[in-house]
Amino acid sequence: MLNKLLLLSRCIFFVSSFFMIGCNAQSVGCKFFSEIEEAELKEIIVKGGFSGELNASSSLKYVGCYEHEENGLGVYFYEREFGNARLTQRLLVVSSKEGYLGMYAVPESPESVVGSEIKFSFPDDYGNHISLKGDALPKAVLLDGEEFELFK
């Protein structure tokens, strides 16, 4: 019975996704991220090649969005506990048009997304933001004096 309900819910999801994409092209930009459910977000990032784990020990927190030419870039803070009280922290970027773009290992959660920048609480001289401007995400960023590279 549970398998039938799961199958039915997936069918409804796929049919409604097809309807939204085929008939309602307005679901772009940052509006996309205000309407997305966690299960759909997880499906998008896994499909895009996300290398982390999504289980009971992990969490995804919406940080903000940057809209550029009807494409929203949603920013999420991912955290996962493992082993002997170890913690991994990542910053994920998801496009409303292209799906999961990648992630950066980060030393802490960002404060916010302001305009085209993801802001952190570090001093400016040591690197305190990630710019979302341009055609692609930066391959490497400087945060709190340390360089972090974009990966999947």
Side-chain angles (χ1 to χ4, degrees), residues 105-117:
V106 292
E108 67 180 38
S109 177
E111 292 180 326
S112 62
V113 176
V114 178
S116 64
E117 293 185 344

Side-chain angles (χ1 to χ4, degrees), residues 13-78:
F13 167 76
F14 286 122
V15 169
S16 64
S17 295
F18 177 76
F19 179 78
M20 287 176 59
I21 293 168
C23 299
N24 188 3
Q26 294 175 330
S27 195
V28 295
C30 291
K31 182 180 177 192
F32 175 82
F33 297 103
S34 66
E35 297 173 349
I36 194 168
E37 293 185 21
E38 186 173 345
E40 184 180 359
L41 173 65
K42 287 180 178 180
E43 187 174 317
I44 289 169
I45 62 177
V46 167
K47 182 180 176 186
F50 176 69
S51 60
E53 291 186 36
L54 298 168
N55 56 29
S57 299
S58 65
S59 66
L60 280 170
K61 177 184 150 197
Y62 179 72
V63 177
C65 184
Y66 167 60
E67 187 155 352
H68 176 68
E69 297 177 4
E70 295 186 0
N71 183 27
L73 295 179
V75 178
Y76 293 87
F77 182 67
Y78 166 83

Side-chain angles (χ1 to χ4, degrees), residues 12 17 21 25 39 41 43 53-54 84 89 104 118-119 121:
I12 291 170
S17 295
I21 293 168
L41 173 65
E43 187 174 317
E53 291 186 36
L54 298 168
N84 289 333
Q89 299 177 96
Y104 300 94
I118 305 167
K119 298 284 191 174
S121 64

